């Protein structure tokens, strides 16, 4: 992060928490979001990831929609690349599409999406106005029981180049990680890292500040945590305004 940004954060009493970007391997040894880009990835996977780094929006979205780099493609109705303002200062990142998102090809349109929209409005944002919404994985992870499940480390690794490219194209002023899965994947941390240990800090993700907060689906189950989530969003707001 450049010294001017660090100075501004320090003036706000918000020293950035430095994270190595995308180099960690999770504690179980099964790999992390970043492994597709490290030596353990196949040469073909690395070549694909490299090709994604130069894609324009149209090519990127078409590549996501036709992707078959992990098994999630087999059950999908639609891949869900993301939606919103491609010049947004705010990037919100969730875990992965659910049933309704899979049916319609747009992120956060179910009940959790309604709450996210309320959060955006409270910040003076909207889906297409200064906010872009994406997910860690672009196809719905669904368990054998037919219910949504978190993506596996391999699924995250296969999909991460797409989100990396979206971040590079958007160049947001802040990234808000919605939930533990998004936060650990974006920060390249061990998969068991708790969300509690990541909240209330400014993380540095390749020179872009990142705030970790609760997933809207969790807030629907635990509405008393909404106040804490609002604190997180206010912290994010201070960063956008400070840049
Ligand atoms: N939950 C997510 O994490 N993403 C969506 O798009 C919908 C629900």
């Amino acid at each position: 992060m450049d010294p001017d940004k660090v100075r501004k954060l320090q003036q706000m009493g918000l020293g950035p928490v430095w994270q190595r970007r995308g180099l960690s391997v999770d504690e179980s040894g099964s790999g992390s979001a970043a492994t597709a880009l490290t030596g353990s990835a196949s040469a073909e996977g690395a070549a694909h990831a490299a090709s994604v780094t130069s894609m324009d929006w149209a090519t990127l979205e078409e590549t996501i929609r036709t992707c078959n780099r992990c098994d999630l493609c087999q059950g999908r109705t639609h891949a869900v690349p993301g939606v919103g303002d491609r010049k947004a200062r705010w990037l919100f990142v969730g875990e992965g599409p659910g049933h309704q998102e899979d049916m319609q090809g747009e992120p956060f349109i179910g009940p959790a999406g309604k709450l996210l929209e309320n959060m955006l409005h409270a910040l003076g944002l909207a889906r297409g106005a200064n906010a872009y919404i994406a997910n860690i994985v672009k196809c719905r992870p669904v368990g054998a029981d037919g219910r949504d499940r978190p993506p596996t480390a391999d699924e995250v690794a296969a999909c991460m180049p797409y989100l990396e490219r979206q971040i590079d194209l958007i160049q947001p002023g802040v990234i808000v990680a919605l939930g533990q899965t998004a936060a650990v994947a974006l920060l390249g941390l061990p998969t068991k890292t708790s969300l509690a240990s990541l909240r209330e800090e400014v993380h540095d993700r390749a020179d872009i500040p990142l705030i970790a907060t609760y997933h809207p689906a969790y807030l629907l189950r635990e509405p008393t945590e909404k106040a804490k989530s609002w604190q997180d969003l206010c912290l994010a707001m201070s960063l956008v305004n400070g840049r």
Side-chain angles (χ1 to χ4, degrees):
M1 191 177 283
D2 84 43
D4 192 44
K5 283 184 213 153
V6 171
R7 188 176 45 74
K8 282 183 188 158
L9 286 168
Q10 281 168 346
Q11 282 166 355
M12 290 189 278
L14 303 170
V17 175
W18 292 90
Q19 301 284 354
R20 285 193 311 148
R21 182 187 179 198
L23 293 177
S24 67
V25 173
D26 76 27
E27 283 157 346
S28 67
S30 61
S32 74
T35 51
L37 301 176
T38 68
S40 62
S42 69
E44 197 273 330
H48 171 75
S51 74
V52 173
T53 63
S54 59
M55 287 180 182
D56 61 16
W57 276 107
T59 310
L60 179 62
E61 292 197 340
E62 183 57 19
T63 305
I64 292 170
R65 289 199 175 96
T66 55
C67 181
N68 58 5
R69 303 199 66 80
C70 79
D71 288 346
L72 293 184
C73 66
Q74 289 168 12
R76 78 175 168 227
T77 310
H78 294 107
V80 182
V83 71
D85 179 352
R86 292 174 177 176
K87 299 267 181 254
R89 304 294 292 146
W90 293 75
L91 172 62
F92 294 84
V93 181
E95 181 175 295
H99 173 66
Q100 295 188 45
E101 291 78 16
D102 172 68
M103 296 305 288
Q104 295 189 40
E106 182 165 336
F108 281 100
I109 51 171
K114 296 276 177 297
L115 178 56
L116 178 59
E117 247 162 45
N118 290 342
M119 292 157 68
L120 295 182
H121 289 151
L123 292 163
L125 309 171
R127 209 163 259 257
N130 209 12
Y132 192 91
I133 304 170
N135 281 306
I136 295 293
V137 295
K138 313 303 192 193
C139 297
R140 181 188 181 204
V142 56
D145 59 1
R147 296 165 68 113
D148 294 342
R149 62 163 174 79
T152 65
D154 284 348
E155 290 159 357
V156 170
C159 219
M160 205 59 183
Y162 301 135
L163 182 59
E164 300 259 8
R165 183 59 184 153
Q166 289 174 315
I167 295 170
D168 280 349
L169 286 165
I170 298 167
Q171 286 295 311
V174 69
I175 300 172
V176 179
L178 300 167
Q180 190 265 0
T181 301
V184 300
L186 280 160
L187 294 171
L189 293 172
T191 53
K192 289 189 175 66
T193 308
S194 72
L195 180 66
S197 69
L198 300 175
R199 284 190 54 249
E200 300 180 279
E201 283 174 0
V202 182
H203 301 270
D204 178 74
R205 193 196 178 282
D207 278 352
I208 299 176
L210 181 148
I211 298 297
T213 192
Y214 299 108
H215 192 286
Y218 171 79
L219 295 175
L220 289 175
R221 293 193 301 273
E222 301 288 343
T224 55
E225 302 286 48
K226 283 183 188 170
K228 289 195 211 159
S229 172
W230 181 243
Q231 283 172 6
D232 298 335
L233 295 176
C234 289
L235 176 54
M237 174 79 88
S238 71
L239 299 169
V240 171
N241 291 340
R243 279 163 68 94

